[in-house]
Amino acid sequence: MPEFRKDPVTGRWVIIATERAKRPAAFVIEKSTRREGFCPFCAGNESHTPPEVLAYRPQGSQHNSPDWWLRVVPNKFPALVSNEPVKRSGDGMYDRINGMGVHEVVIETPDHNAHVGEMDPHQVEEIIWAYRDRTIEMRKDPRLEYVMIFKNHLREAGASLEHPHSQIIAMPIIPKRVQEELDGAQRYFDYKERCVYCDMISQEKKDGARVVAESEHFIAFLPYASRFPFECWILPKEHDSFFHDIQKNEVVDLAKVLRETMARLKESLDDPPFNWMLHTTPLREGTNAYYHWHMEIIPKLTRQAGFEWGTGFYINPYAPEDACKLLQPGAEVREVG
Amino acid sequence: MPEFRKDPVTGRWVIIATERAKRPAAFVIEKSTRREGFCPFCAGNESHTPPEVLAYRPQGSQHNSPDWWLRVVPNKFPALVSNEPVKRSGDGMYDRINGMGVHEVVIETPDHNAHVGEMDPHQVEEIIWAYRDRTIEMRKDPRLEYVMIFKNHLREAGASLEHPHSQIIAMPIIPKRVQEELDGAQRYFDYKERCVYCDMISQEKKDGARVVAESEHFIAFLPYASRFPFECWILPKEHDSFFHDIQKNEVVDLAKVLRETMARLKESLDDPPFNWMLHTTPLREGTNAYYHWHMEIIPKLTRQAGFEWGTGFYINPYAPEDACKLLQPGAEVREVG
């Protein structure tokens, strides 16, 4: 029997329809073959990217030379450009803003074939530090309202290059999806006087059926109203509205939970394409009691089709409780294929 | 120079970033090869679908026999099932509804290889009549609040079968995306005392730069804040809140505009995968002055990646004005490839 489940933050309904998994082509992981050839993100090819804006490299090592273990560079094909003031204007009844913003690439490691789930944990920490350092830096620019950090892994998830990298897009407006979460979390807080994410964490810890990994400071679970099979969220267990307020011990801990979660997904689903996104409170707001920063990880095993585009709802053919079982170490792998 | 453009109904921003089209893999139309083999939707195979709930066939022709020119059957792998009352319940802090609803398939023609852009116009009219007849029928069930009609064409757009078909999912709740449009249209109406879609039609007719096709009663244009390259909307030129109130002459006219639009897309983009969705006022509401039913057509030429999932915004590497030029008859085809 299928059921509708409601995301407690945004109010978005999802249809959990396990019968649908029996359809032909229910899980389509047709991955394109790895491409050979020149990679501008590999060590030694620094001159093929715009000059770095941040690098973690030994003291005394030259900018834009090899020897780094993480680099951040402007995107060569930026979606937004930063050399202008923000200008809003009309076009008849329509509204527009010039494409002001910042678009950067975090080259996560010099190792072209690395995967977050198998990296040295220290290297995963470095990625988190880079996310945090760039957010802090971008917050200094008063034109910017939000910093969106995300990762596309493999072509099916929108990556145009294979070398492990994330992207940062900072913009002069607050994203719709974030605003929906802020509004929903505010409504819940107005009614319950508690953070909706904190309540979710309590219930997930008690239930246990959807928890993938847990450490002192972080928890990873598959959300009750998962839009996609194996969708996974990582949250700090203590309420915190800003990602960039993360502390040193927490970085170590997040790296551990993130690495473990990605290792489980990689092993169980044969290195699936995925996206991850970091959601935090907008730059110009103060700390607050209702919004809880978090990461969302979505493996790309199903296709978004007319129903999803038309409704904004999702049909998920695999319940998160079932998916969670397959993510346990030693579970029979790829049963979903 | 990229720019943000705002959808005047939902307030969703889109980044029109034509520079991005120069990226490797900016337009990925890697279509899977056509599959051979048995098709349950072809004439003669009627016993392989659940019994038809509607068929257009000659008077006297047997139910579930060949001779039909359009059939509607229940989906064999339904996302929702209709044999229960709507029951809402809680699961700790979470909310759910049993998966009550109706899920049907419109087999649009007996011809396995047909394409809407090349069909006999009368056959396209029949598809519209089927959409309308099933909506009218489903409205009689008081448990249902909304009828979502959509089409997935080719595997990349989520179609699991090749034979031309659409789907109808009726459900006990109003879709999020539709509610956003209703709310946005209501806000505009409260401020302007006019329908936002009617205003868009006026401006598009005056501009002309984004209009793909127009007839006495309908207009097809690429929206100002297109999420995707070649996204296209079709609207009745006179304000109308309910699709199912469509009149006979209008059906003929819509068939013409829809067929022409699909022919242009097929020719210019080499038969792209696409989805279309029909948005109309919810079943239980009265006719209203602010919401205008319409069809949205989205070719699948780009992939939704982390930025889109994280923000709810879109990066469109192809401005609708430029796309519109390529859709003119005789334009040099597939320049975007």
Side-chain angles (χ1 to χ4, degrees), chain B residues 44-316:
Chain B
N45 298 341
E46 290 76 12
S47 66
H48 292 270
T49 67
E52 63 201 32
V53 292
L54 172 70
Y56 298 149
R57 49 168 76 247
Q59 290 256 331
S61 154
Q62 288 282 319
H63 290 319
N64 301 305
S65 70
D67 279 346
W68 50 276
W69 57 90
L70 183 145
R71 282 181 94 214
V72 183
V73 300
N75 193 307
K76 205 170 177 177
F77 304 97
L80 298 170
V81 294
S82 65
N83 55 354
E84 302 206 10
V86 178
K87 199 165 155 277
R88 290 178 180 253
S89 57
D91 183 353
M93 71 178 292
Y94 299 126
D95 304 297
R96 64 181 165 205
I97 310 175
N98 59 329
M100 185 270 149
V102 181
H103 190 172
E104 296 180 350
V105 176
V106 179
I107 306 171
E108 299 166 0
T109 160
D111 179 0
H112 187 89
N113 296 310
H115 186 285
V116 191
E118 295 162 345
M119 268 179 201
D120 185 311
H122 295 299
Q123 188 65 28
V124 184
E125 292 168 27
E126 296 296 88
I127 299 171
I128 298 164
W129 282 120
Y131 287 178
R132 187 255 177 203
D133 282 357
R134 292 311 296 159
T135 304
I136 294 281
E137 185 62 28
M138 289 172 184
R139 199 166 56 130
K140 295 175 188 165
D141 184 335
R143 298 170 302 172
L144 299 171
E145 295 287 338
Y146 201 84
V147 176
M148 174 58 61
I149 298 172
F150 61 96
K151 178 175 169 70
N152 305 333
H153 174 67
L154 298 185
R155 201 156 174 183
E156 291 66 28
S160 58
L161 290 166
E162 275 168 3
H163 194 114
H165 68 286
S166 315
Q167 296 183 65
I168 306 180
I169 296 188
M171 57 200 137
I173 41 180
I174 296 169
K176 180 173 184 291
R177 189 93 33 142
V178 174
Q179 191 62 56
E180 285 168 9
E181 290 183 2
L182 290 164
D183 292 346
Q186 177 79 69
R187 272 195 307 275
Y188 189 92
F189 192 86
D190 288 348
Y191 187 65
K192 296 277 196 184
E193 301 184 45
R194 292 194 303 270
C195 164
V196 62
Y197 294 95
C198 289
D199 273 9
M200 268 192 272
I201 292 167
S202 296
Q203 184 161 340
E204 293 305 333
K205 283 180 70 166
K206 215 171 71 186
D207 279 9
R210 288 180 288 267
V211 176
V212 178
E214 193 180 345
S215 66
E216 187 184 349
H217 299 293
F218 286 88
I219 185 167
F221 61 81
L222 312 186
Y224 176 74
S226 293
R227 289 163 289 184
F228 311 100
F230 301 90
E231 173 175 358
C232 187
W233 294 359
I234 301 179
L235 296 90
K237 285 155 72 175
E238 283 294 312
H239 183 82
D240 220 334
S241 37
F242 284 116
F243 158 69
H244 64 250
D245 283 345
I246 193 167
Q247 300 193 16
K248 202 157 184 309
N249 286 333
E250 293 169 338
V251 170
V252 176
D253 221 37
L254 173 56
K256 226 166 54 184
V257 170
L258 176 58
R259 185 181 179 280
E260 174 67 15
T261 303
M262 297 317 299
R264 299 276 189 92
L265 288 171
K266 181 170 194 284
E267 188 192 324
S268 302
L269 300 167
D270 190 22
D271 190 12
F274 69 82
N275 302 111
W276 78 41
M277 292 79 66
L278 206 155
H279 279 175
T280 181
T281 300
L283 295 177
R284 306 301 154 205
E285 293 186 20
T287 56
N288 63 63
Y290 62 91
Y291 192 69
H292 197 123
W293 77 265
H294 60 276
M295 284 180 74
E296 300 182 3
I297 303 160
I298 50 175
K300 284 297 172 62
L301 307 173
T302 52
R303 288 205 178 89
Q304 194 176 12
F307 178 77
E308 284 78 10
W309 288 115
T311 58
F313 293 165
Y314 295 84
I315 299 175
N316 179 351

Side-chain angles (χ1 to χ4, degrees), chain A residues 2 4 6 20 77 91 93-95 97 99 152 176-177 180 203-204 279 300 304 306 309-311, chain B residues 2 4 6 20 77 91 93-95 97 99 152 176-177 180 203-204 279 300 304 306 309-311:
Chain A
F4 288 95
K6 188 181 185 177
R20 297 277 290 172
F77 304 96
D91 182 353
M93 71 177 293
Y94 299 126
D95 305 297
I97 309 176
N152 304 332
K176 179 173 183 294
R177 189 92 34 141
E180 285 169 11
Q203 184 163 339
E204 292 306 334
H279 279 174
K300 285 296 171 61
Q304 193 175 13
W309 288 115
T311 59
Chain B
F4 288 95
K6 189 181 185 175
R20 297 276 291 172
F77 304 97
D91 183 353
M93 71 178 292
Y94 299 126
D95 304 297
I97 310 175
N152 305 333
K176 180 173 184 291
R177 189 93 33 142
E180 285 168 9
Q203 184 161 340
E204 293 305 333
H279 279 175
K300 284 297 172 62
Q304 194 176 12
W309 288 115
T311 58

